Amino acid sequence: MNILVVEDEVKLTKLIKRVLEEERYQVDIANDGDRGLEMALVGSYDLIVLDLMLPGISGLEICRSLRQEQSVVPVLMLTARDAVNDRVAGLDAGADDYLVKPFAFEELLARVRALLRRRIQPENLASQTLKYEDLELDLVRHEVMRAGQRVELTAKEFALLEYLMRNAGQVLTRDQIINHVWEYDFDASSNVVDIYIHYLRSKIDEKASRKLIRTVRGVGYSLRVK
Ligand code: CA
């Protein structure tokens, strides 16, 4: 789990980093708003601990910008004591929770755990699961289910299935599949796609009466629509 801490009080930042690292989180730090926003937009974080009052861009503005960019990363806002308006403004700006300074580190850890847990609740995962008939592919947990049964796939098989599911019903040529799933160029005569389709079939289709992967002779493959 990667956490970004945006806070300008250097001593406090170091303490937060240490406490989080003791719990095995990976922690990056930004000590001003501009750097914080840049890192938040570019990096892939599971959570952001964001101080409200920062030099440069404020915590509120960072939060608003993230939400404008469709980021769903959980944000834990740090606010000054008794500043009720700040808390309301923080939540309005899209923060998920807030913590009033000074806080106990146990409390910080509890909020962090709660936010990370909430992030992987099923209702939040709906948009991150691809479904086709009784086939489900969970992009976050990297799990595949067919008719409610877990199917173990390798990374390449998973990537291939994800590509087929995102383009369900469309016929994908071998070249399209190679270009998308394998990052480097394969010999055009290579039968790597056919081999992997074979693996995938043996895992998701073999035991099912309805076969979902369709061969379109001379062209390629599709995830069935008919
Ligand atoms: Ca501050």
Side-chain angles (χ1 to χ4, degrees):
M1 291 285 179
N2 294 312
I3 299 181
L4 173 65
V5 178
V6 188
E7 164 64 78
D8 57 310
E9 291 167 50
V10 175
K11 210 172 138 189
L12 177 62
T13 311
K14 281 184 182 160
L15 279 170
I16 293 175
K17 181 175 161 72
R18 201 172 73 202
V19 167
L20 291 172
E21 282 177 345
E22 277 168 10
E23 300 297 313
R24 307 286 168 100
Y25 298 112
Q26 297 277 334
V27 182
D28 287 342
I29 278 176
N31 286 127
D32 66 65
D34 299 75
R35 182 87 184 111
L37 179 58
E38 189 189 323
M39 289 173 78
L41 287 173
V42 175
S44 80
Y45 294 102
D46 299 291
L47 179 99
I48 298 177
V49 177
L50 183 60
D51 187 30
L52 190 80
M53 300 290 287
L54 292 165
I57 303 171
S58 77
L60 283 182
E61 287 169 84
I62 291 176
C63 206
R64 270 190 220 111
S65 300
L66 284 173
R67 298 310 182 223
Q68 265 162 21
E69 297 294 321
Q70 313 296 326
S71 167
V72 293
V73 63
V75 171
L76 176 60
M77 192 79 90
L78 305 180
T79 70
R81 180 188 277 276
D82 293 335
V84 176
N85 289 340
D86 284 356
R87 285 176 238 162
V88 173
L91 295 174
D92 281 348
D96 298 272
D97 200 357
Y98 59 85
L99 199 52
V100 178
K101 289 178 176 178
F103 49 82
F105 288 118
E106 276 311 312
E107 170 113 48
L108 172 74
L109 290 175
R111 300 292 176 97
V112 164
R113 280 194 296 271
L115 284 174
L116 290 173
R117 217 168 28 236
R118 198 193 294 174
R119 186 169 177 264
I120 52 172
Q121 287 296 307
E123 60 267 29
N124 297 333
L125 281 182
S127 60
Q128 295 174 67
T129 300
L130 303 179
K131 284 194 183 121
Y132 186 79
E133 296 190 5
D134 60 355
L135 185 62
E136 289 180 33
L137 182 143
D138 187 323
L139 294 163
V140 175
R141 292 181 190 164
H142 262 249
E143 281 177 10
V144 173
M145 309 278 275
R146 175 84 206 257
Q149 297 289 311
R150 176 107 181 252
V151 181
E152 297 291 340
L153 299 184
T154 65
K156 274 284 172 263
E157 291 162 358
F158 187 94
L160 173 58
L161 182 60
E162 179 184 343
Y163 187 49
L164 288 170
M165 288 183 82
R166 285 191 190 278
N167 297 282
Q170 289 180 42
V171 181
L172 301 169
T173 66
R174 287 176 181 77
D175 279 353
Q176 282 178 309
I177 295 173
I178 284 185
N179 287 336
H180 189 88
V181 178
W182 282 267
E183 278 154 23
Y184 43 95
D185 277 336
F186 258 83
D187 177 358
S189 64
S190 158
N191 61 348
V192 65
V193 172
D194 306 275
I195 293 169
Y196 272 83
I197 288 282
H198 172 75
Y199 291 157
L200 207 48
R201 275 188 165 137
S202 72
K203 291 182 176 180
I204 68 160
D205 270 350
E206 201 167 73
K207 283 183 266 174
S209 56
R210 180 163 161 79
K211 314 296 182 197
L212 294 180
I213 298 172
R214 187 164 66 108
T215 302
V216 182
R217 209 167 290 263
V219 186
Y221 298 97
S222 80
L223 197 69
R224 198 167 282 284
V225 149
K226 290 176 190 160

